[in-house]
């Protein structure tokens, strides 16, 4: 990001108003000099003292000369900001570099820089730069950190110019700003096998034959770069354009991560709340499944699916997994509570295309909503649910019996359901869901496979 003062092409129309603003920047010392000079000049005229007149003129002209210099300098100072990286996890620092360049032919006086930063990222950084020679450059930097996810603007940069005598100070703000995206913290998950993951967990791909014989060929139009040996002449003659045989096409196994954002299902707020754990858990699952080669989508109770460019909301076959991950993480960075009372919209989306693995992070469920979630299982290859008792997270107590009832209800519907106690690690629950702790979990009402 680079920002310069008012461009040269606008100087003529802005000179008059800008000069008035610069005159308003006279400091107490500058106003005192100007007043003393005018008073000395009047006295010299009344008394007929030529030497006193010269002193008065000097005192009056000096602050006006400083005003003129600053007025010209304000158009010739450029700044740029470099944000590294632009996307960070909560609790991680980002570095902001500020570069100031004096592109005028005159040296500047004292420069004071202040960048506007939201209070969530810390206090506003301030820097003082001494005289910057003509064509000179100065670079300063500071760090920002947030324990809350979101998108935070950095800037605009405010600069105060002062002349060497301290007679005039001019404050101006640049117009541009950058945006820091703070995404949920992700947790590394163990590469264990989840029951029902199509194509074998860790493989992430299936293969489907596009043809089973010459009579079953489904040709497509020729594309630049296709092998001419794949041209299907019978279809070419039929359609009147060059057609080629479809080859065996790889299909990526699918995974849907369902995040319950209903406000009625979550109590409390802040980094340690149940909702924030669910958001972080969803982010961890998304990243993990993408790394395992799955086509992944993020689905919320509102029925919205991200990335949404491919079939039924999954990423398209030509979409880079890193782009899909970035889009979903950006969505989770700003996601908040919804006003909905149920999960019917998400159920409708799964009914339209819910094959593959389903991983759900759910808040408080009543019996009706638990039954609805149970019916989602029939439309997926495998389903794992993490149920949060937001009341227990709010008080720090143990998981309530109502959550245990919901867990059993989902298990009876074919889910692998686990309750999430306050402070639990998703990696441990993920391992438990895979069945490594099935024998131990069988003795408890909240863990293991259904």
């Amino acid at each position: 990001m680079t920002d310069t003062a008012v461009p040269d092409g606008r100087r003529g129309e802005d000179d008059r108003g800008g000069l008035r603003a610069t005159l308003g920047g006279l400091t107490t010392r500058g106003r005192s000099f100007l007043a003393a000079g005018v008073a000395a000049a009047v006295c010299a005229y009344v008394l007929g003292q030529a030497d006193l007149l010269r002193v008065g003129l000097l005192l009056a002209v000096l602050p006006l000369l400083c005003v003129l210099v600053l007025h010209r300098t304000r158009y010739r100072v450029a700044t740029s900001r470099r944000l590294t990286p632009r996307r960070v996890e909560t609790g991680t620092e980002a570095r902001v570099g500020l570069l100031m360049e004096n592109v005028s032919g005159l040296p500047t006086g004292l420069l004071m820089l202040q960048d506007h930063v939201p209070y969530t990222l810390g206090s506003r950084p301030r820097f003082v730069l001494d005289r910057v020679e003509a064509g000179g450059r100065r670079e300063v930097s500071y760090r920002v950190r947030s324990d809350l996810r979101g998108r935070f603007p950095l800037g605009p940069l405010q600069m105060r110019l002062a002349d060497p005598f301290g007679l005039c100070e001019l404050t101006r703000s640049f117009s541009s700003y950058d945006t820091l995206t703070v995404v949920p913290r992700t947790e590394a998950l163990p590469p264990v096998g989840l029951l029902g993951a199509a194509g074998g967990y860790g493989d992430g791909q299936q293969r489907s034959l596009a043809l089973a014989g010459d009579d079953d060929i489904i040709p497509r139009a020729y594309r630049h770069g296709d092998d001419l040996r794949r041209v299907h002449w019978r279809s070419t003659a039929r359609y009147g354009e060059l057609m080629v045989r479809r080859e065996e096409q790889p299909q990526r196994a699918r995974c849907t991560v369902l995040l319950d954002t209903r406000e009625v299902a979550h109590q409390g707020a802040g980094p340690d709340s149940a909702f924030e754990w669910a958001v972080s858990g969803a982010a961890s699952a998304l990243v993990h499944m993408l790394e395992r080669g799955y086509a992944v989508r993020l689905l919320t109770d509102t029925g919205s699916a991200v990335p949404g460019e491919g079939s039924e909301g999954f990423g398209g076959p030509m979409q880079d997994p890193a782009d899909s991950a970035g889009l979903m993480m950006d969505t989770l960075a700003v996601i908040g509570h919804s006003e909905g009372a149920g999960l019917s919209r998400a159920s409708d989306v799964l009914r339209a295309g819910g094959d593959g693995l389903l991983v759900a992070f759910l808040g408080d469920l009543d019996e009706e909503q638990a039954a609805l979630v149970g019916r989602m299982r029939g439309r997926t290859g495998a389903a794992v649910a993490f149920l949060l008792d937001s009341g227990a997270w709010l008080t720090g107590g143990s998981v309530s019996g109502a959550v245990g009832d919901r867990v059993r209800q989902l298990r009876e519907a074919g889910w692998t359901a686990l309750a999430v106690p306050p402070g639990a690690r998703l990696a441990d629950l993920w391992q438990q869901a895979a069945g490594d702790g099935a024998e131990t979990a069988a003795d408890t009402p909240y863990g293991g496979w259904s």
Side-chain angles (χ1 to χ4, degrees):
M1 181 277 298
T2 302
D3 196 357
T4 312
V6 180
D8 292 347
R10 291 175 52 190
R11 280 195 196 175
E13 61 190 64
D14 290 343
D15 269 350
R16 186 173 302 174
L19 188 57
R20 291 197 195 99
T22 309
L23 283 171
L26 284 172
T27 63
T28 302
R29 180 186 300 178
R31 296 175 186 274
S32 300
F33 266 62
L34 184 59
V38 173
V42 172
C43 292
Y45 177 78
V46 173
L47 301 176
Q49 297 291 327
D51 292 337
L52 183 59
L53 179 60
R54 296 190 187 95
V55 173
L57 291 176
L58 177 62
L59 292 176
V61 168
L62 184 58
L64 297 178
L65 183 61
C66 293
V67 166
L68 181 61
V69 171
L70 284 186
H71 178 65
R72 291 180 58 84
T73 303
R74 72 192 293 263
Y75 292 103
R76 307 297 296 166
V77 176
T79 63
S80 63
R81 182 188 296 103
R82 182 179 294 107
L83 177 59
T84 310
R86 293 182 173 272
R87 183 189 292 120
V88 296
E89 292 187 352
T90 55
T92 305
E93 289 187 342
R95 182 179 179 273
V96 184
L98 298 174
L99 177 64
M100 198 286 298
E101 183 177 5
N102 180 15
V103 295
S104 70
L106 298 174
T108 69
L110 189 67
L111 292 179
M112 288 159 280
L113 304 179
Q114 175 179 277
D115 209 10
H116 288 260
V117 173
Y119 73 93
T120 307
L121 301 181
S123 59
R124 290 182 178 179
R126 295 180 175 87
F127 305 95
V128 178
L129 303 179
D130 274 333
R131 176 181 178 275
V132 180
E133 66 279 4
R137 306 172 71 182
R138 298 289 187 274
E139 186 171 4
V140 294
S141 64
Y142 63 94
R143 295 185 178 275
V144 291
R145 177 181 179 274
S146 174
D147 292 327
L148 300 176
R149 56 187 175 82
R151 292 173 61 88
F152 304 100
L154 299 177
L157 179 67
Q158 189 178 65
M159 180 176 63
R160 292 173 59 194
L161 299 92
D163 67 279
F165 304 103
L167 302 179
C168 184
E169 288 184 356
L170 178 63
T171 301
R172 63 146 307 184
S173 294
F174 295 90
S175 59
S176 61
Y177 64 92
D178 284 300
T179 301
L180 174 67
T181 303
V182 181
V183 301
R185 181 179 292 276
T186 58
E187 184 177 350
L189 302 181
V192 295
L194 294 179
L195 183 64
Y201 188 76
D203 181 6
Q205 289 189 354
Q206 306 171 47
R207 303 193 70 84
S208 63
L209 293 176
L211 54 94
D214 193 63
D215 294 334
D216 297 323
I217 288 178
I218 304 176
R220 62 168 175 82
Y222 174 83
R223 299 172 186 166
H224 179 71
D226 285 339
D227 190 346
L228 292 178
R229 290 174 295 183
R230 292 171 48 203
V231 173
H232 191 252
W233 298 109
R234 184 181 301 175
S235 298
T236 299
R238 178 181 178 183
Y239 292 103
E241 59 177 320
L242 204 58
M243 306 294 289
V244 296
R245 295 181 178 89
R246 291 181 183 269
E247 292 183 338
E248 187 179 355
Q249 299 293 329
Q251 293 182 347
R252 299 173 65 190
R254 293 180 171 184
C255 174
T256 299
V257 177
L258 172 61
L259 177 62
D260 181 6
T261 66
R262 295 172 300 142
E263 187 173 10
V264 296
H266 297 279
Q267 302 179 43
D272 298 326
S273 64
F275 180 68
E276 291 302 322
W277 190 97
V279 173
S280 178
S284 301
L286 290 168
V287 173
H288 179 73
M289 300 307 292
L290 282 171
E291 290 175 349
R292 304 298 293 175
Y294 280 72
V296 182
R297 68 175 172 182
L298 170 66
L299 178 65
T300 67
D301 57 285
T302 62
S304 60
V306 181
E309 295 185 4
S311 176
E312 292 102 18
F314 292 90
M318 303 303 293
Q319 189 171 20
D320 189 347
D323 294 337
S324 297
L327 183 58
M328 288 185 284
M329 295 299 284
D330 287 345
T331 301
L332 289 175
V334 297
I335 199 167
H337 292 297
S338 69
E339 298 180 354
L343 298 165
S344 58
R345 293 183 180 178
S347 179
D348 293 339
V349 174
L350 290 172
R351 183 184 298 112
D355 57 315
L357 177 65
L358 173 60
V359 181
F361 295 86
L362 305 171
D364 298 332
L365 298 176
D366 56 26
E367 187 173 356
E368 179 183 355
Q369 293 304 312
L372 177 62
V373 173
R375 291 192 293 272
M376 296 180 187
R377 170 64 181 88
R379 309 179 187 116
T380 61
V384 182
F386 300 96
L387 276 72
L388 291 98
D389 185 350
S390 60
W393 279 77
L394 187 62
T395 61
S398 59
V399 176
S400 66
V403 175
D405 294 338
R406 302 295 172 257
V407 168
R408 283 188 289 270
Q409 186 176 354
L410 292 184
R411 286 181 181 177
E412 293 172 357
W415 282 76
T416 298
L418 299 93
V420 182
R425 294 181 65 249
L426 179 60
D428 297 336
L429 297 174
W430 195 267
Q431 185 84 29
Q432 186 177 351
D436 287 358
E439 293 183 2
T440 303
D443 298 330
T444 67
Y446 302 133
W449 290 93
S450 57

